[in-house]
Amino acid sequence: MIKNIHQSIISASTEKRKLLAILVDPDVFDNSKTKVFLKSIPLNTTHLFVGGSSVENGETEATVASLKKYSSLPIVLFPGNESQITDKADALLFLSLISGRNPEYLIGQQVKAVSKLREFTLEVISTGYILIDGGNKSAVERVSKTLPMPQGDIQAIVNTALAGEYLGKKMIYLEAGSGAEFPVNPSVIKAVKNAVKIPLLVGGGIKYEEQKQEAYKAGADMVVMGTCFENN
Ligand code: 1GP
């Protein structure tokens, strides 16, 4: 098993080595095409994320097992809810939706996850998850019934990220939502990066190389891309 993914993300951040996670949604992923998929993703991919907003029981485990079979990249769970947690992965983003005010996604799902996590050796990485307006209604917004933060409200986003850090979150994830019309604005990324000391992940609506580079330039330690690799 790959050890200490959180530590390796911190090292990369300190050394300014940019990370790229490709997100696989078990709900739409065809496990029989795993090999083809792995050939289609960028050579500089550093992590595979697995998760989605509506995934049936057992699908995550099957997808993780299939990816593990053909790839040695670290596999990190990015679950929409606690039912997607499996010890077949290497680590778990233990997300708390700190932009929202729905207790179920701030602490409810996390408490439900504990009985599994106590049995597992999965690395748990506490992550403050901040939903930002990406121009269309995201699955996160729909499922969590929380509103995204407006991109223009930079101070509120920075304060939310800092509150996450003060609460002890180990990373901050700025999320525009899967399939967002537009990604998190570089000015938002820059302001958050300047404020927090913990690693910064950015995803949602990043389709083009320039958008990825802009996110890195603004201070993202890791960019997460999903939709644009879904159909190879
Ligand atoms: C979604 O941030 C990720 O949770 C990735 O978004 O699917 O738009 O690349 P995309």
Side-chain angles (χ1 to χ4, degrees):
M1 186 198 270
I2 300 157
K3 286 264 180 264
N4 221 331
I5 290 170
H6 173 233
Q7 199 49 54
S8 71
I9 294 173
I10 291 179
S11 304
S13 169
T14 313
E15 294 158 19
K16 302 207 168 8
R17 267 185 292 113
K18 298 298 182 183
L19 302 171
L20 175 65
I22 302 300
L23 172 65
V24 173
D25 182 347
D27 189 41
V28 292
F29 189 70
D30 182 349
N31 292 337
S32 70
K33 299 206 174 111
T34 301
K35 258 173 132 173
V36 182
F37 165 77
L38 288 168
K39 280 201 185 113
S40 78
I41 64 175
L43 281 173
N44 59 351
T45 301
T46 56
H47 296 76
L48 294 172
F49 279 12
V50 179
S53 44
S54 52
V55 181
E56 305 235 332
N57 259 341
E59 274 183 342
T60 304
E61 195 156 302
T63 297
V64 170
S66 176
L67 291 168
K68 274 246 149 229
K69 193 166 164 194
Y70 299 109
S71 170
S72 55
L73 289 172
I75 298 183
V76 180
L77 296 176
F78 175 61
N81 62 56
E82 56 84 29
S83 76
Q84 295 173 32
I85 298 175
T86 161
D87 61 351
K88 299 270 184 297
D90 300 301
L92 162 72
L93 294 192
F94 201 49
L95 304 166
S96 180
L97 184 59
I98 58 175
S99 55
R101 297 295 177 269
N102 181 349
E104 184 59 20
Y105 291 91
L106 278 164
I107 184 67
Q109 287 289 317
Q110 294 78 354
V111 173
K112 287 175 188 153
V114 165
S115 57
K116 267 188 202 164
L117 293 177
R118 289 185 78 176
E119 305 289 317
F120 293 174
T121 52
L122 200 58
E123 181 184 342
V124 177
I125 311 172
S126 172
T127 304
Y129 192 46
I130 301 178
L131 183 62
I132 290 168
D133 184 16
N136 48 14
K137 190 165 180 167
S138 65
V140 181
E141 175 176 355
R142 213 176 47 244
V143 172
S144 70
K145 299 187 178 65
T146 67
L147 290 174
M149 302 187 77
Q151 300 248 12
D153 214 344
I154 295 185
Q155 196 55 55
I157 297 171
V158 167
N159 289 353
T160 304
L162 270 176
E165 181 170 349
Y166 297 158
L167 276 166
K169 308 290 176 218
K170 301 283 193 287
M171 308 202 290
I172 293 294
Y173 191 133
L174 298 178
E175 169 73 275
S178 190
E181 219 171 284
F182 43 83
V184 180
N185 196 287
S187 59
V188 174
I189 301 173
K190 198 170 175 187
V192 172
K193 183 63 186 175
N194 284 341
V196 302
K197 295 188 186 70
I198 51 183
L200 184 60
L201 285 65
V202 178
I206 299 175
K207 298 185 270 293
Y208 308 114
E209 183 60 27
E210 311 89 79
Q211 293 172 318
K212 190 174 81 177
Q213 292 307 332
E214 273 182 12
Y216 284 145
K217 214 172 122 204
D221 296 301
M222 181 188 281
V223 163
V224 185
M225 297 170 84
T227 307
C228 70
F229 293 105
E230 249 162 35
N231 301 309
N232 298 328

